Amino acid sequence: MPGPEVTLHPRGVRRGAVLTLVFATVLVTAAATDSWQSDAEKSPSLSARSVAAATDRQAVAEAAAEAMADGKSGKEAAEEVVSRSGDRWGAVYDPAEYEEFEQALGGEYTGVGLWAERAQDGRIEVSRVQRGGPAERAGVRAGDRLRTIDGRPVENRPVTEVVQLLRGDGVAEAGSSVVLGLERGARQWSERLRRARLATEAVTVEQLADGATLIKVASFTKGSGEQVRDAVRAVPEDHGVLLDLRGNGGGLVTEAVTAASAFLDGGLVATYDMEGEQRALYAEPGGDTDRPVVALVDGGTMSAAELVTGALKDRGRAVTVGSRTFGKGSVQMPSRLPDGSVAELTVGHYRTPAGHSVDGRGISPDLAVSERAEERARTVLSGLGGGS
């Protein structure tokens, strides 16, 4: 997924580059991948798999060009090459999808303004409703059961599929409609909602009654890193911080590094490969290094969110509580194809400050809990002196 023009820390990546680490269902409605961006392509570019990556990109571009010369779909030809490559995260997007990705990382998306989660019994429930969005205006509440989307049952479906159904076929436009079958207690009803252009609520802050501050980071969209830093600066002096990264599908690495910097005074955040060489990402100096911090994570903590988790855990800056994170530490580089579509292929992987690989493994929390994770995290934070 491409991002807006942002510069990484100069010790980490050359000037003008943009690095994003994202995965499916990030930003409520988008399916995304990890990517690095260069000025030359106007889309992510940071080669790390060197010759092999370049060869793959060339093969995809050539396949698309040949198909177009024969009057066939360049995108479909590129998809076939990517599928044969064995690249788990490789993907091809048409121009409209790619534009949607750019807008999403800029903090906007097209949708109805609800978040969904799958309960242990397989039911899909509304976990959160965006203020002022179509879902809230229609009276949808957190806790409502989502039974159908446009007549299709959603029970036992992966949340990623539910999100795709909410989006509709292709990239949904603002004003298009979707019919939700809902249930609340004994009541069952249908609600037709019109999708709208919405701003993401990447960072929310809540002062808890027990003397702690909850900072929830839903995704690392543009500006979210500074929002985290501002939130930490505003935390009352005697409060600890509960940093909730559960369900965070990733986003811009520049924003993730900035967020990590809120709790660090410089130093290493992560390392990664670039053109066969080891490179590094560093925190900015001046972060809060004294306040107790507990980070909440789960299987939905992915990519850039895992980068933050790894940095705070390895640097001894936060106690991590919850379940093992997803395990996506690979990075994709987008290349523009002749028909305007974009192919993304894996070009590298990053490691935590202690040198641990994240991809395919995830990060094990210091305290593994499967139930009442937030309650346990608050207890741990209290024990660290960050709550009552």
Side-chain angles (χ1 to χ4, degrees):
M1 180 192 253
E5 293 297 330
V6 184
T7 303
L8 282 175
H9 193 288
R11 285 182 289 177
V13 181
R14 65 181 182 276
R15 296 182 69 84
V18 171
L19 169 63
T20 66
L21 287 164
V22 285
F23 178 63
T25 74
V26 66
L27 313 180
V28 186
T29 58
T33 56
D34 302 356
S35 28
W36 269 311
Q37 178 164 336
S38 77
D39 294 331
E41 293 180 293
K42 299 292 185 179
S43 56
S45 166
L46 184 63
S47 54
R49 207 169 51 179
S50 69
V51 177
T55 302
D56 289 344
R57 293 194 301 275
Q58 182 177 349
V60 172
E62 289 177 351
E66 290 175 3
M68 292 175 65
D70 293 336
K72 301 177 182 177
S73 169
K75 179 176 181 289
E76 291 180 2
E79 288 174 332
E80 185 176 346
V81 174
V82 172
S83 67
R84 290 201 308 263
S85 71
D87 187 342
R88 182 184 179 189
W89 304 113
V92 182
Y93 306 103
D94 64 36
E97 291 171 333
Y98 204 64
E99 181 181 359
E100 183 77 6
F101 288 170
E102 289 181 312
Q103 292 173 341
L105 277 181
E108 295 184 340
Y109 71 100
T110 299
V112 297
L114 66 78
W115 283 253
E117 63 183 3
R118 188 156 66 93
Q120 290 185 344
D121 61 2
R123 302 196 316 170
I124 300 297
E125 295 182 349
V126 176
S127 60
R128 186 157 67 96
V129 178
Q130 182 161 338
R131 288 172 294 180
E136 185 192 57
R137 293 197 302 269
V140 179
R141 303 176 192 169
D144 288 346
R145 178 187 175 190
L146 189 58
R147 299 170 52 250
T148 61
I149 300 175
D150 285 334
R152 302 178 189 178
V154 298
E155 188 169 332
N156 293 317
R157 285 181 183 263
V159 173
T160 51
E161 290 186 16
V162 174
V163 170
Q164 286 301 108
L165 289 173
L166 284 169
R167 287 183 55 77
D169 295 330
V171 178
E173 296 181 354
S176 61
S177 65
V178 58
V179 179
L180 307 184
L182 297 157
E183 180 179 314
R184 183 186 303 157
R187 179 192 175 198
Q188 294 185 0
W189 80 103
S190 294
E191 198 73 53
R192 180 179 293 275
L193 305 179
R194 292 200 174 275
R195 299 179 180 96
R197 199 72 192 158
L198 301 170
T200 59
E201 294 180 318
V203 180
T204 54
V205 182
E206 180 183 355
Q207 304 297 333
L208 304 178
D210 57 3
T213 296
L214 173 66
I215 301 177
K216 168 69 176 177
V217 188
S219 58
F220 287 107
T221 54
K222 186 177 181 181
S224 61
E226 197 57 42
Q227 290 178 49
V228 172
R229 296 192 74 169
D230 290 344
V232 173
R233 294 188 187 107
V235 173
E237 187 174 343
D238 58 344
H239 278 213
V241 170
L242 189 60
L243 181 65
D244 192 350
L245 298 175
R246 292 175 297 177
N248 185 320
L252 290 164
V253 164
T254 44
E255 302 298 338
V257 171
T258 300
S261 299
F263 305 99
L264 301 169
D265 186 14
L268 188 64
V269 172
T271 60
Y272 60 92
D273 299 322
M274 178 177 171
E275 297 177 343
E277 299 180 6
Q278 195 85 339
R279 302 296 180 94
L281 298 166
Y282 295 93
E284 297 292 336
D288 186 330
T289 59
D290 297 322
R291 191 184 306 278
V293 180
V294 172
L296 265 168
V297 297
D298 65 6
T301 304
M302 307 176 187
S303 302
E306 291 176 284
L307 185 148
V308 174
T309 303
L312 298 185
K313 183 174 189 288
D314 285 3
R315 297 280 301 273
R317 188 59 192 92
V319 175
T320 51
V321 176
S323 52
R324 182 184 291 272
T325 63
F326 182 82
K328 187 172 192 293
S330 62
V331 182
Q332 281 67 51
M333 181 176 68
S335 297
R336 188 75 62 173
L337 300 179
D339 63 353
S341 57
V342 176
E344 290 194 344
L345 299 173
T346 299
V347 296
H349 300 80
Y350 74 85
R351 293 177 178 270
T352 70
H356 301 304
S357 175
V358 174
D359 201 52
R361 302 178 183 180
I363 298 172
S364 297
D366 297 308
L367 176 61
V369 295
S370 57
E371 297 181 356
R372 298 186 298 176
E374 184 172 329
E375 180 182 330
R376 297 290 297 278
R378 291 168 71 166
T379 299
V380 171
L381 187 60
S382 177
L384 296 173
S388 57

